[in-house]
Amino acid sequence: RPLLVYGKYRDAGRKAAIMLHGQTGAGEYAREFEFARDNVSAQHKPIQWLWARMRIAGLSDYYWGDPEDNREAITSLGLQYSLLTRYTSFVAVDEIIRNKGAAARNVKQPLPMPANVSNLAIGERRNVPEPSLTFMMGLLLITYLAARLQKRFR
């Protein structure tokens, strides 16, 4: 199984390193991973959001006390890293007032159905014709004949 390690360091010196020790099927495993603050490239910038997401998940999912105890920490991370959390959301604000001085009015805005969802999902009735009398009589005749044949071959 892969080993995933998430972390964040502050004020690490020029020679920061993580030492990993473990046991594998082939025996002992040990490796040192070196990193330096001045060696961070732009392609690794998204790692900060990965760390923040995992930290929020840890605070949300693996805390055994009252979930509200972590509310401030989760909110702070969500705001600092612009992430959606259970306590933060994204809001679009339009700065231009289009209806200056006029009264506001409510409008029912129809929305399209999601892809591959029929209108039956909202209770719309389809015009399905009633079965014709001829069709019903045919079904009755077939049922009668099947019952007679079954009795004959018993």
Side-chain angles (χ1 to χ4, degrees):
R1 296 182 184 176
L3 173 67
L4 301 175
V5 178
Y6 298 95
K8 186 174 184 177
Y9 70 91
R10 292 183 182 93
D11 300 326
R14 284 209 166 293
K15 271 213 108 132
I18 295 176
M19 186 62 144
L20 181 64
H21 296 275
Q23 189 73 25
T24 70
E28 288 284 324
Y29 176 84
R31 183 163 175 203
E32 184 174 318
F33 298 92
E34 291 185 16
F35 53 94
R37 182 178 292 261
D38 53 350
N39 194 17
V40 177
S41 69
Q43 73 183 27
H44 297 124
K45 189 157 178 69
I47 291 176
Q48 65 181 331
W49 290 289
L50 175 65
W51 172 83
R53 286 176 56 194
M54 297 309 294
R55 179 75 177 133
I56 290 169
L59 289 170
S60 299
D61 299 341
Y62 302 112
Y63 185 73
W64 297 104
D66 183 10
E68 292 298 312
D69 291 345
N70 287 334
R71 182 181 189 138
E72 187 176 326
I74 292 170
T75 302
S76 176
L77 284 168
L79 294 173
Q80 181 179 353
Y81 291 95
S82 299
L83 296 172
L84 180 68
T85 70
R86 68 173 63 182
Y87 305 113
T88 60
S89 62
F90 299 113
V91 177
V93 178
D94 191 358
E95 296 292 330
I96 300 171
I97 300 172
R98 306 274 182 204
N99 191 11
K100 289 184 181 176
R105 61 186 171 123
N106 290 335
V107 177
K108 286 193 175 192
Q109 180 66 43
L111 299 173
M113 291 295 288
N116 302 320
V117 175
S118 94
N119 286 338
L120 295 174
I122 57 171
E124 183 176 297
R125 300 189 69 168
R126 293 195 309 195
N127 292 332
V128 179
E130 291 291 327
S132 69
L133 183 59
T134 309
F135 178 71
M136 293 300 287
M137 292 303 286
L139 278 178
L140 267 168
L141 181 62
I142 290 172
T143 305
Y144 174 75
L145 291 174
R148 296 281 292 174
L149 284 173
Q150 187 178 17
K151 280 186 182 179
R152 179 179 255 184
F153 291 112
R154 269 194 193 176

